[in-house]
Amino acid sequence: LEFAEMGRVIRGQRKGKGSVFTSHTHHRKGSAKLRQLDYTERHGYAKGVVTEIIHDPGRGAPLAKVTFRHPLRYKLQKELMVAAEGMYTGQFMYTGKKATLSIGNVMPIGQMPEGSIVCNIEQNVGDRGTFAKASGDYGIIVSHNPDTGVTRLKLPSGSKKVVSSACRAMVGQVAGGGRSEKPLLKAGAAFHKYRVKRNSWPHVRGVAMNPVEHPHGGGNHQHIGHASTVRRDAPPGKKVGLIAARRTGRLRGQKGLQAIREKEGK
């Protein structure tokens, strides 16, 4: 083994271990999911009432506590889901195949018209919501294919995805949009933002470190000194910068215009 170039274990390697880098989940309210898919939802609808809209530490979007009556036994089912913009306490919420197209209702995407704005979208039938769950996010139903039973979606990233038409989604967009438009203004605000998320702040740049701590460290000026691209199979400790980049630099020409258009369209 070659030990001549060994430096310190760099930050990226330490993060993989966990330890102080694990997420701060102690005060979180619970996992935000749609109601479990059952016979009621597959063939009709279930009616619930939004009892409370709460803040979840470390999450930009508010959560809605929804209470349903148990379909078989004399008891209540309480669900926690990401709230859509326009939901309010006391609102009746319907979830299932026969639900109507109104804000906060959950129904299979195959039952919605093309161009519908949806959030909390399932990737696989019954997974209880995977896509478009961050504050202000939404997906758009692009087209349906009734022959194959699939639906084409436009996700918040701008990418298109094909999922089963039986996958459910909530009508509307996630509440809390525009959160990132207000600047944090001071370090204290950033401190409290990341305090409830995980240990990822403050973020020291590699070029500001010493050579022992980072491949970009050292030198008389803060510069990388070599290409910032790095191969996919680089060993941990070297694998920093633009990993396995297909291309680098500014998007120019048609690609640049397309990227701008997609950003505005999003």
Side-chain angles (χ1 to χ4, degrees):
L1 285 167
E2 185 62 62
F3 291 112
E5 289 187 40
M6 279 195 67
R8 200 167 289 168
V9 174
I10 69 168
R11 182 178 53 199
Q13 290 172 286
R14 295 197 304 129
K15 281 190 174 182
K17 284 267 196 196
S19 170
V20 296
F21 295 104
T22 50
S23 59
H24 302 165
T25 55
H26 185 68
H27 292 291
R28 299 205 180 161
K29 301 294 183 258
S31 54
K33 294 179 177 180
L34 301 177
R35 189 174 172 276
Q36 197 154 8
L37 185 62
D38 57 6
Y39 184 90
T40 315
E41 284 210 31
R42 278 196 297 270
H43 297 90
Y45 65 85
K47 177 184 173 184
V49 62
V50 179
T51 47
E52 203 181 351
I53 288 176
I54 55 172
H55 169 68
D56 188 21
R59 187 193 292 266
L63 296 181
K65 276 187 177 176
V66 187
T67 306
F68 294 91
R69 282 177 62 181
H70 195 281
L72 301 174
R73 293 175 185 83
Y74 178 67
K75 59 178 181 179
L76 300 174
Q77 276 181 329
K78 292 181 179 175
E79 301 290 349
L80 199 63
M81 46 187 83
V82 176
E85 186 77 54
M87 276 176 112
Y88 55 91
T89 51
Q91 174 186 347
F92 286 122
M93 183 196 148
Y94 300 90
T95 166
K97 187 185 175 185
K98 299 273 173 73
T100 54
L101 192 79
S102 53
I103 299 288
N105 284 1
V106 177
M107 53 197 291
I109 51 179
Q111 303 288 320
M112 301 184 199
E114 291 170 6
S116 299
I117 302 286
V118 289
C119 59
N120 289 318
I121 310 159
E122 289 185 329
Q123 182 172 5
N124 299 304
V125 180
D127 71 10
R128 304 179 70 183
T130 308
F131 302 128
K133 293 177 78 172
S135 53
D137 271 3
Y138 62 90
I140 299 170
I141 294 173
V142 178
S143 61
H144 297 296
N145 189 340
D147 303 330
T148 51
V150 294
T151 297
R152 206 168 147 77
L153 295 167
K154 186 177 183 185
L155 299 180
S157 63
S159 63
K160 307 274 198 313
K161 186 159 185 75
V162 174
V163 296
S164 165
S165 297
C167 288
R168 296 169 299 163
M170 186 181 278
V171 183
Q173 77 177 84
V174 181
R179 172 177 52 82
S180 55
E181 284 168 25
K182 175 182 173 287
L184 288 169
L185 287 179
K186 55 184 190 173
F191 169 82
H192 288 293
K193 176 185 174 178
Y194 290 104
R195 183 177 63 88
V196 290
K197 285 179 181 286
R198 70 204 73 82
N199 178 13
S200 59
W201 185 91
H203 189 80
V204 180
R205 293 164 302 131
V207 289
M209 297 181 191
N210 295 316
V212 73
E213 288 144 358
H214 200 276
H216 295 171
N220 281 347
H221 300 282
Q222 284 194 1
H223 70 297
I224 297 175
H226 52 83
S228 58
T229 50
V230 60
R231 66 183 195 273
R232 170 69 70 207
D233 61 346
K238 185 181 183 347
K239 203 170 183 178
V240 291
L242 304 171
I243 297 167
R246 290 199 177 90
R247 67 180 306 288
T248 59
R250 199 160 61 88
L251 286 167
R252 302 178 69 171
Q254 286 303 111
K255 271 193 174 173
L257 291 170
Q258 195 179 327
I260 292 163
R261 249 184 253 121
E262 276 183 12
K263 217 171 189 182
E264 286 171 354
K266 200 184 108 177

